[in-house]
Amino acid sequence: MTQKVAVLGTGKIGEALLSGMIRGGWAPSDLLVTARRQERAKALHDRYGVEAVSNPEAAEAADTLILTVKPQDMGTLLTELAPHIPAGRLVISGAAGIPTSYFEERLATGTPVVRVMTNTPALVDEAMSVISAGTHATAGHLTLAEEIFSTVGKTLRVPESQQDAATALSGSGPAYFYFLVEAMTDAGILLGLPRDKAHDLIVQAAIGAAVMLRDSGEHPVTLRENVTSPAGTTINAIRELENHGVRAAMLSALEAARDRSRELASGNA
């Protein structure tokens, strides 16, 4: 890779991306990192062989800047970076809820910005990263963002108007499954299983179901019907889920997550 890329605010997701890029072919000498704490910066240098620099140094030296700080810290970071980012420097934001216009208003006119919503399975190379172009981002900028984020999972391009929905489904999505596994594990205990056995049964069922959804090409309704025999155990369980409004609750939950993403975009913390 000939691009010099800087990951700014390298926390867990930033480090996962850094590790994935190196495995994907980026040379450590082409990668820069910044971190709030000096000991964190040193640990990243020692672990990956990358150069740890200050935020202004990264802005001046890198061809592409990946901003992985928390949304509430983004304004402060941009104030620090703005005098040091030359026009034309690609800026990739991984901050939930912040639109590309927020960056374009604070950086040099014409700065290309790409917005990416990834999720925590990046830590195990199974992320879903949703990518949108700002006003000045080209197809080449989007392709580069895809190359970077595909090192930790899959990528999907969407119009920026769909980012809040993508955040609700994908960015927050893993938490819903963890919540479901927690509830099912508790149910297993209620039914008389030890916690560790209930956990193992549910986790493997989740993995198997996910692989079938991904690889079979079948609609989820078809896969569910294949498990649902007449007057059997599964249909009785599904009846109870419907009686308790689980489907409606999920729709409401995702709407609430989307609405919160919109609030963050409008500056309502």
Side-chain angles (χ1 to χ4, degrees), residues 132-147:
S132 301
T135 303
H136 308 292
T138 66
H141 294 133
L142 287 174
T143 297
L144 177 59
E146 287 175 332
E147 289 175 358

Side-chain angles (χ1 to χ4, degrees), residues 29-255:
S29 58
D30 289 331
L31 299 173
L32 302 172
V33 296
T34 77
R36 180 175 295 178
R37 294 178 292 108
Q38 185 62 36
E39 57 269 29
R40 171 64 173 167
K42 183 179 185 304
L44 292 167
H45 168 74
D46 294 344
R47 193 173 300 145
Y48 299 105
V50 296
E51 184 179 1
V53 297
S54 68
N55 289 327
E57 288 172 333
E60 292 173 355
D63 301 298
T64 297
L65 305 175
I66 306 174
L67 312 185
T68 63
V69 301
K70 295 178 180 179
Q72 59 266 34
D73 296 329
M74 191 62 76
T76 300
L77 177 62
L78 289 180
T79 299
E80 182 182 12
L81 293 178
H84 305 279
I85 299 180
R89 181 79 82 243
L90 174 59
V91 173
I92 299 176
S93 166
I98 301 182
T100 56
S101 59
Y102 180 91
F103 299 87
E104 292 166 350
E105 291 166 1
R106 289 161 175 79
L107 299 175
T109 302
T111 297
V113 180
V114 172
R115 178 177 172 182
V116 181
M117 182 68 252
T118 192
N119 55 19
T120 55
L123 299 171
V124 292
D125 293 345
E126 291 291 350
M128 183 74 245
S129 300
V130 183
I131 298 174
S132 301
T135 303
H136 308 292
T138 66
H141 294 133
L142 287 174
T143 297
L144 177 59
E146 287 175 332
E147 289 175 358
I148 291 171
F149 281 86
S150 66
T151 64
V152 292
K154 292 189 175 182
T155 65
L156 178 69
R157 293 189 194 184
V158 302
E160 190 170 10
S161 61
Q162 296 176 4
Q163 273 282 357
D164 293 322
T167 297
L169 266 71
S170 182
S172 300
Y176 314 145
F177 289 98
Y178 302 146
F179 183 87
L180 180 60
V181 168
E182 179 188 3
M184 292 177 72
T185 300
D186 286 345
I189 296 169
L190 179 66
L191 297 175
L193 288 168
R195 177 174 293 277
D196 59 341
K197 289 184 171 58
H199 175 82
D200 289 348
L201 288 169
I202 296 305
V203 169
Q204 187 56 39
I207 292 171
V211 172
M212 289 187 71
L213 281 166
R214 184 189 65 191
D215 296 346
S216 70
E218 297 284 357
H219 193 280
V221 170
T222 301
L223 293 174
R224 178 181 59 77
E225 289 177 344
N226 289 342
V227 188
T228 311
S229 55
T233 59
T234 307
I235 192 61
N236 275 273
I238 289 173
R239 180 189 63 185
E240 289 302 309
L241 292 172
E242 294 289 8
N243 286 343
H244 286 81
V246 172
R247 188 187 302 266
M250 182 58 70
L251 293 172
S252 295
L254 292 174
E255 285 183 332

